[in-house]
């Protein structure tokens, strides 16, 4: 009799769901870049790039939410997937479009000039730390509401806010110790800004998914 192979425990962990969020950008580049190039060759305006980007981000967030819920012991539904999609896309677009004045106010209160130059590093850190926290918290809030658990939704939102901000800050400061200081070009020409940004977001996607999954699993076993 052939022994049945079992999926390794670590592959069943909630953090695996975070790879759907990591896949957002590569999928978007693969799909949007050829279309944009075609529009450019035709010398016409690319009118599908932004909507397609939202669809791709929403689709991968849909898969993330359902994978997270499933790995946490809950039954995924179209509502949980839709909640993840809406939570991710609305916070991403909302922060980009509507939170500019808020960021400028925060920078002003902290005494950080919103300009390129000596203040660019501090400006980048403040904006992306807040942005990552808001998006992570928004995703947690949406998933909790989709499961019809108000207290759980608020708990996930708070965890997401703190987790997102803390993880991005730790990654950014750790990368600075390795010589990847945002706003300061490296002698070897390696771009610090995109490396720190992507690494911070990807670490948050994995660790945040694991933390969300643990909270969801605990709630499933011991509902309050």
């Amino acid at each position: 009799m052939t022994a049945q192979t079992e999926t390794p425990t670590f592959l069943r962990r909630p953090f695996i769901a975070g790879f759907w969020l990591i896949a957002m950008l590569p999928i978007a580049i693969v799909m949007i870049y050829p279309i944009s190039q075609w529009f450019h060759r035709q010398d016409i305006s690319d009118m599908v790039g932004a909507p397609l980007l939202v669809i791709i981000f929403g689709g991968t967030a849909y898969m993330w939410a359902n994978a997270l819920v499933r790995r946490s012991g809950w039954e995924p539904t179209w509502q949980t997937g839709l909640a993840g999609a809406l939570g991710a896309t609305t916070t991403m677009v909302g922060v980009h479009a509507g939170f500019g004045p808020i960021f400028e106010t925060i920078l002003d209160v902290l005494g950080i000039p919103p300009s390129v130059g000596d203040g660019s590093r501090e400006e980048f850190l403040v904006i992306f730390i807040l942005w990552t926290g808001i998006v992570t918290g928004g995703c947690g809030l949406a998933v909790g509401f989709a499961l019809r658990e108000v207290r759980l939704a608020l708990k996930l939102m708070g965890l997401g806010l703190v987790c997102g901000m803390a993880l991005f800050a730790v990654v950014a400061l750790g990368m600075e110790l390795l010589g990847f200081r945002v706003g300061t070009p490296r002698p070897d020409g390696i771009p610090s800004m995109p490396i720190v940004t992507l690494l911070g977001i990807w670490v948050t996607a994995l660790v945040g998914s694991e933390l969300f999954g643990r909270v969801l699993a605990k709630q499933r076993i011991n509902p309050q």
Side-chain angles (χ1 to χ4, degrees):
M1 178 179 291
T2 304
Q4 184 176 5
T5 58
E6 185 175 337
T7 304
T9 303
F10 78 95
L11 290 179
R12 298 197 299 266
R13 298 300 306 173
F15 81 89
I16 296 295
F19 281 102
W20 278 111
L21 301 179
I22 291 177
M24 278 183 174
L25 189 57
I27 293 175
I29 292 174
V30 170
M31 294 185 66
I32 294 178
Y33 180 76
I35 297 175
S36 299
Q37 289 300 303
W38 183 86
F39 275 90
H40 179 71
R41 288 194 299 268
Q42 302 300 318
D43 197 24
I44 56 179
S45 176
D46 183 357
M47 301 297 294
V48 300
L52 185 57
L53 189 65
V54 172
I55 292 173
I56 293 171
F57 281 9
T60 50
Y62 182 101
M63 301 300 295
W64 164 79
N66 277 351
L68 174 68
V69 168
R70 181 183 299 108
R71 292 172 181 276
S72 305
W74 296 73
E75 185 66 28
T77 63
W78 68 267
Q79 290 97 331
T80 56
L82 181 61
L86 292 176
T89 55
T90 55
T91 49
M92 287 180 185
V93 175
V95 169
H96 177 73
F99 284 80
I102 296 178
F103 285 138
E104 291 180 4
T105 301
I106 294 174
L107 291 171
D108 184 62
V109 171
L110 295 175
I112 300 173
S115 59
V116 178
D118 294 337
S120 60
R121 168 182 171 273
E122 290 78 8
E123 181 186 0
F124 169 86
L125 290 177
V126 170
I127 290 176
F128 270 87
I129 286 172
L130 292 173
W131 181 86
T132 306
I134 292 171
V135 173
T136 308
C139 289
L141 179 69
V143 171
F145 275 133
L147 295 173
R148 301 179 182 178
E149 297 277 351
V150 176
R151 292 182 61 182
L152 176 63
L154 296 176
K155 182 184 295 186
L156 290 176
M157 181 186 70
L159 176 63
L161 285 170
V162 175
C163 166
M165 291 190 293
L167 287 171
F168 194 95
V170 168
V171 170
L173 295 176
M175 290 298 290
E176 181 170 330
L177 295 177
L178 296 175
F180 290 85
R181 178 170 180 156
V182 175
T184 303
R186 286 173 53 89
D188 53 16
I190 299 176
S192 294
M193 183 82 76
I195 292 176
V196 174
T197 302
L198 292 176
L199 186 60
I201 293 173
W202 290 349
V203 168
T204 303
L206 296 177
V207 178
S209 295
E210 180 68 24
L211 294 178
F212 280 174
R214 293 187 180 188
V215 172
L216 288 169
K218 183 178 178 180
Q219 179 73 14
R220 179 66 174 174
I221 298 172
N222 300 309
Q224 298 177 355

